[in-house]
Amino acid sequence: MRHWYHRGLLAWLLWPASVLFGVLATLRRLLYRLRILGSRHPGIPVIVVGNLTAGGTGKTPLVIWIAEHLKKKGWSPGIVSRGYGARITIPRAATIADDAAEVGDEPILLSRRSGCPVWVGADRVAVIAALRKAHPDVDVVVLDDGLQHYRLRRDVEIAVVDARAFGNGFLLPAGPLREPAWRLRSVDAVVSHGSPLEGYAMRLKGEELHRMTDAAERRPVAAFAGAKVHAIAGIGDPNRFFLHLAKHGVKLAPHPFPDHHRFEAGELEFGDDAPVLMTEKDAVKLRSVARPNWWVLPVSAELDAAFADWLSKRLDGLGRPKAA
């Protein structure tokens, strides 16, 4: 109770800064809409998958689903990511062979799961230009995050909202919002990942783990039911991972870490030989120190059929561009 009281008090103390942040965010968006601040379109359809809150909401599984859907429809998608926390000075490709410290954790996961070219960098306009030069067959770009990157003009905006919705409703730094909640009314589609808000429903499924040192060895989540395990998660909402395991009867000791956490030696030493279960996003950062008792849970997004129909029609309306 005291913990929540202090958090609430801190939010109110930071409220003036939150108001200023909201004014600046709204003004910035207005300046881009009025073309006072310059923006560019890359010449091929751009789909932005983002959110209004700081932290993960399930964007990456949705980006993978969209990329797979586009390929089935005959498109050649490329994926662009900021590469959060990585040391990126110029646009570059991100592959499964890269180090997460160099390109970010999510881009490696995107590259491995999507089979699409994935490029990273802070300036998405420059990144897309470099991606198209290297892959002239790419005819549509999917942005993993970037809803607030207004320098890049986009054709489709998709906002993901999870069960936490808008938290306390305040903007940064008093709350989790990067833009006012009314911004949601201007996006083209809302994907609801367990959120009370209306939108196309998205569910994450993951019923099988693989051993980190041998991906060919797989076990259903239920195989760990009744056994003591450690569960680690450095994602936007670690509880989502823990609850998923608990739903299958796993008796876990939860170890939450901040989103995009860079693990250090000893952080996964728990004084026993119990299995350690982790997310794919964490696993890409721990490949070089993998242990035989570490297990990884891949997850995939499931979307309403109506969302697939809507996205296909929206892109067909844009038309297919010529190769660069």
Side-chain angles (χ1 to χ4, degrees):
M1 187 69 168
R2 182 177 300 175
H3 173 70
W4 287 106
Y5 170 78
H6 286 305
R7 285 185 62 182
L9 179 60
L10 179 61
W12 281 107
L13 290 174
L14 292 173
W15 179 75
S18 179
V19 171
L20 177 61
F21 183 92
V23 169
L24 294 175
T26 302
L27 177 61
R28 176 176 173 271
R29 182 167 183 263
L30 179 62
L31 292 175
Y32 274 109
R33 285 179 64 86
L34 295 175
R35 303 292 173 88
I36 295 173
L37 292 178
S39 61
R40 293 182 60 187
H41 191 281
I44 58 176
V46 176
I47 303 171
V48 173
V49 178
N51 57 2
L52 298 188
T53 57
T57 54
K59 297 186 299 294
T60 299
L62 178 57
V63 168
I64 294 169
W65 184 96
I66 290 174
E68 292 174 345
H69 175 75
L70 293 175
K71 287 194 288 185
K72 291 176 185 176
K73 295 297 181 179
W75 292 84
S76 298
I79 298 175
V80 168
S81 173
R82 168 66 179 86
Y84 182 87
R87 300 185 293 271
I88 305 169
T89 56
I90 59 173
R92 58 165 292 179
T95 71
I96 58 175
D98 284 314
D99 189 321
E102 300 296 328
V103 298
D105 45 24
E106 288 162 344
I108 296 175
L109 177 57
L110 287 166
S111 177
R112 183 160 65 88
R113 290 288 299 275
S114 73
C116 297
V118 178
W119 280 62
V120 294
D123 183 348
R124 274 50 153 216
V125 173
V127 173
I128 294 176
L131 185 158
R132 294 192 72 196
K133 185 176 181 180
H135 302 274
D137 59 313
V138 167
D139 54 13
V140 60
V141 172
V142 186
L143 251 69
D144 182 17
D145 209 356
L147 197 62
Q148 292 78 32
H149 193 77
Y150 292 117
R151 205 170 84 78
L152 174 66
R153 295 182 206 163
R154 66 287 309 267
D155 300 284
V156 181
E157 288 187 331
I158 301 170
V160 186
V161 184
D162 67 7
R164 296 168 296 172
F166 303 135
N168 62 8
F170 291 157
L171 279 86
L172 295 168
L177 288 172
R178 296 192 280 189
E179 290 187 287
W182 54 256
R183 169 72 168 90
L184 205 63
R185 296 196 295 267
S186 66
V187 302
D188 298 291
V190 174
V191 170
S192 178
H193 180 203
S195 163
L197 300 178
E198 290 186 4
Y200 296 106
M202 178 176 77
R203 298 157 296 279
L204 294 183
K205 61 177 182 178
E207 309 300 322
E208 189 176 64
L209 298 109
H210 64 78
R211 192 184 294 275
M212 194 163 172
T213 53
D214 182 5
E217 185 176 351
R218 298 174 179 270
R219 292 183 188 176
V221 178
F224 293 88
K228 177 188 175 183
V229 305
H230 297 281
I232 68 165
I235 58 177
D237 183 9
N239 280 332
R240 187 166 61 226
F241 178 62
F242 302 147
L243 290 173
H244 179 81
L245 297 176
K247 182 179 68 176
H248 289 78
V250 179
K251 296 180 179 179
L252 57 95
H255 303 278
F257 292 89
D259 197 14
H260 302 287
H261 181 69
R262 291 187 178 183
F263 293 94
E264 297 181 1
E267 286 187 306
L268 301 187
E269 297 291 342
F270 303 117
D272 55 38
D273 295 323
V276 177
L277 313 187
M278 66 183 69
T279 71
E280 273 189 299
K281 184 173 161 180
D282 295 311
V284 300
K285 294 175 286 190
L286 293 164
R287 291 176 299 181
S288 63
V289 292
R291 305 283 181 84
N293 65 325
W294 291 1
W295 294 81
V296 183
L297 179 70
V299 297
S300 299
E302 286 185 335
L303 274 294
D304 288 344
F307 177 78
D309 292 340
W310 170 82
L311 183 60
S312 295
K313 291 176 181 177
R314 186 63 185 267
L315 284 175
D316 289 343
L318 295 173
R320 295 177 187 258
K322 296 179 179 180

